[in-house]
Amino acid sequence: MNKDLKQSYQHLFATDDGDKVLDDLGKRFNLDQTTFSSDAMEMAFLEGQRSVMLFILRAITDQKEIENNE
């Protein structure tokens, strides 16, 4: 991710509304919960949702990623 896009993510989620949305997304998409299911397709779907949350969190917190792309 380039530096400008990363800063856009950080700016967006640094607001009060961004924080509320991030919290809601985390609850809806299993950020802090296991995604285990005996149905492999369901588990893959849930893990896909969770991976989006992890991507957003890395985008707003991981300074190392910016340095690697400069």
Side-chain angles (χ1 to χ4, degrees):
M1 176 181 300
N2 70 45
K3 186 177 180 178
D4 289 336
L5 183 56
K6 189 167 191 79
Q7 288 175 340
S8 293
Y9 271 86
Q10 291 170 338
H11 178 73
L12 176 69
F13 287 106
T15 66
D16 287 339
D17 286 339
D19 189 50
K20 289 177 189 174
V21 168
L22 193 61
D23 184 57
D24 179 60
L25 291 173
K27 290 175 184 171
R28 289 178 188 271
F29 300 123
N30 307 302
L31 181 60
D32 296 324
Q33 302 172 46
T34 181
T35 58
F36 178 78
S37 172
S38 58
D39 180 343
M41 296 299 283
E42 179 184 22
M43 193 162 92
F45 178 77
L46 294 172
E47 196 56 31
Q49 290 179 326
R50 186 172 179 271
S51 72
V52 171
M53 288 303 305
L54 295 173
F55 172 82
I56 292 171
L57 290 175
R58 279 193 304 272
I60 64 176
T61 60
D62 188 11
Q63 203 60 26
K64 189 174 187 178
E65 187 175 302
I66 291 176
E67 295 164 3
N68 289 339
N69 288 327
E70 288 183 323

